[in-house]
């Protein structure tokens, strides 16, 4: 594995690379954002990754999701992604959960067992629950805001949740937290873009929005970068 990670070790040093190998990350949602986040983590030397998603690969995923190809349509997303990740790093420990994070399943995830939680899910209520649950644990949370209806990857940014501007999803989350009276216990960083375009085409699925890989992948790689940055700057 040292040969596979030789360029990583050259950049960050052996101690930081060893910390990356020990880091435990759980990623909720492995679509257009989450799949690329996991790719970035594993290629950066993170060897303990849990992936959670309830869906199967469908044709509309192929334009932006890492494991979505003509040959994987119909497969369970987390299984297809796990197979791909093990081709990159055969010694990695990839745990795949084919289920959603929701009020019914939240208690089955021991988030205290992870160093980082990545939120890349779309459902508003489930996202609110995951944020609150993650922030009540020992893990560090990084969250993706909406990556659809955007074309300019240079507008992807990072900000603390309450300082995110121009993102309808972030606005809906803040409103939801305030209405419920159940506020996040800690501050956390989000990846977002203030760009918001109108769909030019006609959606084939209800409430679907257009999205493209050159933006969603930047969201995902930025999330991975936040994890790597935190681990590299740690002291033994």
């Amino acid at each position: 594995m040292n040969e596979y990670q030789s360029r990583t070790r050259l950049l960050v040093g052996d101690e930081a690379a060893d910390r990356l190998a020990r880091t435990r990350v759980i990623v909720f949602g492995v679509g257009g954002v989450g799949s690329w986040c996991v790719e970035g983590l594993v290629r950066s030397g993170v060897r303990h990754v849990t992936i959670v998603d309830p869906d199967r690969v469908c044709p509309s995923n192929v334009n932006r999701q890492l494991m979505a190809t003509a040959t994987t349509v119909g497969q369970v997303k987390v299984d297809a992604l796990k197979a791909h990740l093990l081709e990159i790093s055969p010694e990695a420990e990839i745990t795949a959960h084919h289920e959603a994070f929701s009020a019914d399943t939240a208690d089955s995830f021991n988030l205290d067992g992870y160093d980082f939680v990545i939120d890349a899910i779309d459902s508003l209520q489930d996202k609110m629950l995951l944020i609150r649950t993650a922030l009540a644990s020992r893990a560090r949370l990084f969250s993706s805001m909406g990556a659809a209806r955007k074309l300019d990857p240079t507008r992807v940014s990072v900000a603390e949740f309450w300082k995110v501007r121009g993102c309808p999803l972030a606005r809906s989350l803040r409103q939801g937290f305030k209405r419920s009276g159940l506020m996040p216990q800690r501050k956390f960083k989000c990846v977002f873009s203030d760009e918001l375009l109108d769909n030019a085409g006609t959606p084939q699925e209800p409430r679907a929005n257009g999205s493209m890989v050159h933006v969603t992948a930047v969201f995902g790689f930025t999330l991975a970068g936040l994890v790597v940055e935190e681990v590299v700057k740690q002291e033994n």
Side-chain angles (χ1 to χ4, degrees):
M1 291 300 294
N2 283 349
E3 185 178 352
Y4 296 161
Q5 293 298 318
S6 62
R7 296 301 178 95
T8 298
R9 290 178 177 273
L10 183 61
L11 178 62
V12 304
D14 289 340
E15 291 182 357
D18 290 343
R19 287 197 298 274
L20 283 167
R22 297 191 300 269
T23 297
R24 305 184 69 86
V25 184
I26 185 167
V27 179
F28 291 93
V30 293
V33 172
S35 62
W36 295 99
C37 174
V38 178
E39 172 93 351
L41 292 171
V42 171
R43 287 192 184 272
S44 298
V46 176
R47 293 178 57 185
H48 305 281
V49 180
T50 298
I51 52 179
V52 185
D53 195 291
D55 295 333
R56 293 178 178 268
V57 178
C58 66
S60 65
N61 300 151
V62 175
N63 82 318
R64 70 198 182 284
Q65 299 187 12
L66 176 68
M67 64 289 170
T69 68
T71 61
T72 61
V73 168
Q75 293 182 18
V76 171
K77 282 186 181 180
V78 291
D79 292 344
L81 182 57
K82 178 178 179 178
H84 168 77
L85 297 171
L86 291 176
E87 289 181 345
I88 298 169
S89 179
E91 296 183 16
E93 295 181 5
I94 309 297
T95 303
H97 290 280
H98 180 216
E99 60 182 320
F101 181 90
S102 66
D104 294 331
T105 64
D107 290 342
S108 66
F109 296 99
N110 176 23
L111 300 188
D112 285 322
Y114 297 92
D115 301 298
F116 295 93
V117 174
I118 302 297
D119 158 38
I121 59 179
D122 298 324
S123 166
L124 185 65
Q125 292 302 316
D126 294 343
K127 197 175 190 75
M128 290 171 59
L129 177 60
L130 176 58
I131 289 170
R132 289 196 300 264
T133 304
L135 294 178
S137 75
R138 62 169 288 275
R140 182 76 181 270
L141 169 70
F142 296 122
S143 179
S144 173
M145 298 294 102
R149 295 168 61 188
K150 306 176 193 305
L151 279 176
D152 185 353
T154 68
R155 291 173 69 169
V156 178
S157 303
V158 176
E160 194 278 321
F161 172 66
W162 295 100
K163 295 181 179 179
V164 172
R165 295 294 179 264
C167 175
L169 178 55
R171 182 169 59 250
S172 295
L173 286 168
R174 288 192 290 261
Q175 292 171 347
F177 286 133
K178 290 175 181 177
R179 282 196 300 267
S180 69
L182 301 172
M183 306 296 283
Q185 294 186 14
R186 290 183 276 140
K187 293 181 178 180
F188 61 100
K189 288 183 178 180
C190 299
V191 178
F192 76 102
S193 168
D194 62 0
E195 182 182 23
L196 190 63
L197 304 175
D198 292 329
N199 287 315
T202 302
Q204 297 178 339
E205 304 169 23
R207 298 182 298 279
N209 282 306
S211 52
M212 294 183 69
V213 68
H214 68 286
V215 172
T216 65
V218 172
F219 268 70
F221 282 137
T222 303
L223 287 166
L226 290 171
V227 172
V228 171
E229 181 182 23
E230 285 293 317
V231 175
V232 167
K233 74 181 184 183
Q234 291 172 3
E235 296 182 359
N236 287 330

